[in-house]
Structures are given as C-alpha cells and as structure tokens.
Amino acid sequence: MLRFAALTVILLGTPGAAQQPSKAEQFFGKEELARQVGLHEKGCKRGDAGECFNLALAHAQGLSVPKDEARAATLYKKACDKGHLDACNNLGIAYAQGVGVKKEPKQALSLFEKTCEAEDAKGCFNAGMSHASGGDVARAATFFERSCGRGHATACFSLGLAHAQGQGVKKDPQRAATLFSQACEAGNGAGCNVLGGAYMAGIGVPRDLKRGVALFEKSCDAGVPGGCFNLGLAHQRGHGVAKNPERARSFLQKACGLGHTPACENASNPK
C-alpha cells in the first residue's frame, strides 16, 4: 500500500515520511506500482474508503498517474465522507494551504476537529496548530494536551513549549520538562534537545551536565541542527564531557551542514 504523511511541523503537521516517486518506483518497480494504482482505482469505484485514500495519495504525489492535486482533494473528500480519518486530515491540510482546493482555514479546522473527536491524535494536533496559527494559544494547548495524551510526540513537544513559555497555560518548567521527556522518548529530536538544555541549566529538572550531553547526542543523531550545535559547544567548552576540539568541530560542522548558521560561524572561528 502507498503510505503518505503531509506536513510535519511549522503548520498542520502529520508525522511520517512520504515516498518520492523515484523511491516508490525503485521499491515497487514501475509495473507493480501501476498495478497497485489500478487496484486502488477499482476499489475506490466500489466505494472502498481506504482505496480512495490510496488513490488520492497516488494523484497527490504523481505515482504512476499524472500529479493532480485537485483530483487528490476530491478523492480525500470521498474517503473522508466514508469515515477515513487520514483522508479527513489530508483534506484539512489541503484546505489549510489551498492545495487542490480554495484555501479555507475554517473548513480545515472543522475537519481537524472532526478527526480529533474520533480520537485521532493527528487530528487533535492539527487542530491545535490551526488554533495556534490563529492566535488562540489557550485553545491550541487544549488540543495539544489531547493529542499528547494519545502519544503524538510533536504535540507533547508543542505543549511543553507552551508550559515553558506560559503561552495559553500556566508557566510550569517542571511540567514542561516532563513533556519534553515524553516527546524525546517518543522520537521527537527537538524535545531531546530542549530537554538537554533544561538539564544543562537546571530548569525544571536538577542540573545534570552529563545527562544534558547525552540528550544533545540523541537529538543530533536524529538530525536536529540545534542538538548537534549544542553537542559541539559542550565538547568545545568541556561542559559535561572532556574538552575535545576535534569532536567539537565535527559536531559543529554537522550542524552547519544541517543549516544551522551560528554553528557555521562557530566552526570557522571557534572561541
């Protein structure tokens, strides 16, 4: 089956990794991919919501069919109307961004809240992001809470930021650290990085430099630029580890390669 996830963070994300057409073709082969898409077409015509959703993904990504975002949106709607929650989420993202349909934030939010009420963690997270982008941080926090409670790592991270900054909820460093830990354990590398900073500074948790370094390392391994940058600084300054200029430079260069500008400056002119 085709797998798809729309956005990740910043706006209306659903986690995962969408296959690029070339990778899908490499994995399945062109003939097999075309056969699968043909089966999805037949299944959708029979009224199978899952097959309509898979066919929508094929049109959204141009997998063995011409890329057609409007057609994808139509198919998402067909699947959503039959109760397919992932289709409702993707249709919501389409309305949020105006991809294949006219941009309608209210319609997007309605779809996200519909999936959230059906106990879908992605829907709750997306609803939270919609409220946050609209400036209602308190309402956003309630949806992040619901999504985090259902295991959505990025929702736990977002709720942690809210508690750390006192946005829409009471400022609570200890609660924030707990949420960052949940996010980190669930695979959110940014959560590991922020939690590492908390241990380094003793904010919401006892100060523990070695623990901070371990979390920066976990974050860097996950490809988070800030995690690599902080890990480089720790080795550069001897915070939680022995000073090691070579390892410091290596981590700073990795962060630079991931687009972290201060890391590029620091790697070129170490202090």
Side-chain angles (χ1 to χ4, degrees):
M1 292 292 183
L2 301 172
R3 297 297 302 278
F4 175 78
L7 303 177
T8 47
V9 290
I10 309 241
L11 176 67
L12 308 174
T14 51
Q19 289 182 339
Q20 297 299 318
S22 59
K23 291 183 179 180
E25 288 177 359
Q26 289 172 10
F27 184 81
F28 292 110
K30 289 184 178 180
E31 290 184 4
E32 174 59 18
L33 190 61
R35 187 187 73 83
Q36 288 190 27
V37 172
L39 291 174
H40 298 327
E41 181 86 50
K42 291 178 181 178
C44 184
K45 287 180 179 178
R46 292 195 304 268
D48 186 304
E51 296 289 22
C52 291
F53 176 67
N54 286 327
L55 185 59
L57 302 182
H59 281 285
Q61 299 176 69
L63 297 175
S64 196
V65 290
K67 186 172 182 178
D68 187 338
E69 291 165 337
R71 174 68 174 150
T74 297
L75 289 163
Y76 285 143
K77 185 177 188 309
K78 185 174 181 179
C80 177
D81 288 345
K82 292 179 178 294
H84 196 290
L85 298 181
D86 284 337
C88 295
N89 268 310
N90 282 4
L91 181 60
I93 290 169
Y95 276 114
Q97 293 193 321
V99 176
V101 291
K102 182 180 177 181
K103 189 173 183 178
E104 293 186 28
K106 289 184 178 180
Q107 179 64 16
L109 179 57
S110 176
L111 286 161
F112 296 145
E113 291 186 343
K114 173 183 177 179
T115 60
C116 182
E117 289 304 316
E119 306 298 319
D120 183 77
K122 295 187 299 296
C124 294
F125 174 70
N126 289 342
M129 291 299 287
S130 291
H131 283 294
S133 66
D136 191 343
V137 292
R139 185 73 171 146
T142 65
F143 281 99
F144 292 148
E145 183 86 52
R146 294 174 69 178
S147 182
C148 178
R150 297 183 182 116
H152 195 289
T154 307
C156 294
F157 175 69
S158 299
L159 186 60
L161 289 179
H163 279 286
Q165 300 166 2
Q167 292 189 347
V169 291
K170 180 181 178 181
K171 188 172 184 178
D172 186 339
Q174 290 183 329
R175 174 68 174 147
T178 297
L179 287 161
F180 292 142
S181 180
Q182 285 181 245
C184 179
E185 290 301 316
N188 184 283
C192 301
N193 183 37
V194 176
L195 183 61
Y199 274 105
M200 284 292 193
I203 299 174
V205 290
R207 193 164 188 253
D208 186 336
L209 301 187
K210 289 184 178 180
R211 176 66 175 150
V213 170
L215 286 161
F216 291 151
E217 187 168 1
K218 188 173 183 178
S219 177
C220 184
D221 287 345
V224 177
C228 298
F229 177 65
N230 287 330
L231 186 58
L233 292 183
H235 281 282
Q236 186 182 80
R237 299 170 181 175
H239 290 172
V241 291
K243 281 188 177 182
N244 189 323
E246 289 303 315
R247 282 181 65 77
R249 186 176 300 108
S250 174
F251 290 123
L252 290 170
Q253 287 175 343
K254 182 176 179 179
C256 178
L258 291 169
H260 196 287
T261 302
C264 300
E265 297 170 353
N266 199 295
S268 301
N269 301 290
K271 298 178 181 179

